[in-house]
Amino acid sequence: MSAYDRGVLRSKILGLGSYVPERVVTNEEIAYLDERHVRHETKRTETTDEWIRARTGIEQRRYVPNDESTTCSDLAKWASERALADAGCSASEVDCIILATLSPDIHFPGTAVFLQSRLGIDGEGGCPCFDIRQQCSGFLYALQMADNFVRGGQYKRVLVVGSELHSHSLDYSTRGRDVMVLFGDAAGAVVVGPTETDDPREGILYTKLGADGSGAMDLHLKVFDSKKMPHIQYNEKWGVPETMYPQMNGKKVFLNAVRAMNLSTRAALEATGLTWNDVDWFVPHQANLRINEAVVHYGEIPPEKVLNSIQLYGNTTAATIPLTLDHHRKEGRVKKGDLVVSSVFGAGFTWGAAVFRV
Ligand code: ACO
């Protein structure tokens, strides 16, 4: 009798994949770009490579082609196909999609249904599709749902995706420089399914999430405001809706991120009874290298076990965790079955930690 039949189901990550667009935008180049990502002779934004590297650790990021050909669900599709191939399963076996993004294709419907169509598994009998709107914490929020869906016996092949097309909604001017330099485009995905083992140190061991709505407006992007009539307001000076760019109280986000990621990482170790000797890798959300260095310092985490990728990709929000894992797997560091502790923090405020074998 299989674990599935006995009702002692555990879930595991069956496959991992990621996708980044080809265009590399360096810190030097970003100062010269306009909102269509065209490089000008003179600077559009007062910023420097030194400032961005010193304050964030970011050296470059990836952007989709500037021909309006690419959507968030395209990035999601390309990452999903790689995760499915890695899992050795076909798209037709997926019985649930959970997609995390803060940069959806359109306001509604959610982006997971567009991904379903792009994967060619739409139509009558199509699987359920969920959108998760928890920003930088979105991937772990989605992973917790997938873990519980699988352990509850509801679904057997859950496609969990974090996908972001940030570069079309940033303010390419000195006014928006604090946020604009941080973000990049990318997607990452995993396939979650049941495992035969009931060993508590296999598969997905632990997930815990949290949120504090009092921080909601410290990092937000309105686009529209439903109390206004009409719900999108134009700013005469800017010539665009005044609500179309992200707004951030950077210092408050920074301090809360360090605190929440430190506490949630400690709680994960305590709940699972693991020490850093048992763990192969710590994979924090990639918002700012200084945030991660502080979490590693306060958490007394062995630096050689920490995986970052922000230097190359910037903050790719819901995609950072699978992207960072896949990047370091391609580099030959991460191996199948390695034990990972991950912690995240994002707009909302939202946060979480998870322990899983990759
Ligand atoms: N280039 C040059 N100067 C800049 C830039 C830039 N890109 N951005 C801001 N500055 C200036 C500011 O205007 C300010 O100038 P002033 O002193 O003349 O007023 C100066 O640099 C210092 O600004 P600070 O905001 O104090 O800089 P700080 O060290 O706090 O770094 C940063 C800013 C990088 C944004 C930091 O606060 C941060 O990373 N915060 C957290 C971001 C984050 O974690 N986001 C969460 C995830 S995102 C999500 O969930 C969607």
Side-chain angles (χ1 to χ4, degrees), residues 59-79:
E59 295 165 20
Q60 60 184 50
R61 70 287 291 142
R62 301 295 185 100
Y63 278 8
V64 297
N66 63 346
D67 56 5
E68 301 187 348
S69 63
T70 310
T71 61
C72 172
S73 56
D74 286 323
L75 301 176
K77 176 191 177 218
W78 297 324

Side-chain angles (χ1 to χ4, degrees), residues 47 51 55 136 177-178 219 250-251 253 287-288 291 315 346-347:
T47 190
W51 192 97
R55 300 291 181 117
C136 297
R177 65 183 176 177
D178 58 332
L219 178 50
K251 281 199 175 15
V253 173
N288 185 322
I291 292 177
N315 182 353

Side-chain angles (χ1 to χ4, degrees), residues 45-48 51-52 55-56 102 135-137 166 177-179 181-183 219 248-251 253-254 257 285 287-288 290-291 315 317 345-347:
T45 301
E46 276 314 314
T47 190
T48 60
W51 192 97
I52 301 170
R55 300 291 181 117
T56 72
L102 68 66
Q135 300 65 248
C136 297
S137 306
H166 283 305
R177 65 183 176 177
D178 58 332
V179 175
V181 300
L182 302 177
F183 292 101
L219 178 50
M248 179 171 72
N249 180 348
K251 281 199 175 15
V253 173
F254 191 107
H285 171 53
N288 185 322
R290 284 163 55 223
I291 292 177
N315 182 353
T317 312
F345 181 87

Side-chain angles (χ1 to χ4, degrees), residues 138 157 203 234:
R157 291 288 179 274
Y234 277 81

Side-chain angles (χ1 to χ4, degrees), residues 128-166:
C129 292
F130 296 89
D131 271 49
I132 296 290
R133 297 295 307 274
Q134 270 65 34
Q135 300 65 248
C136 297
S137 306
F139 184 76
L140 290 194
Y141 266 70
L143 192 70
Q144 184 180 71
M145 280 178 73
D147 177 39
N148 281 281
F149 279 153
V150 169
R151 285 196 290 112
Q154 185 87 51
Y155 305 117
K156 290 186 179 180
R157 291 288 179 274
V158 184
L159 180 58
V160 175
V161 192
S163 184
E164 302 290 357
L165 201 171
H166 283 305

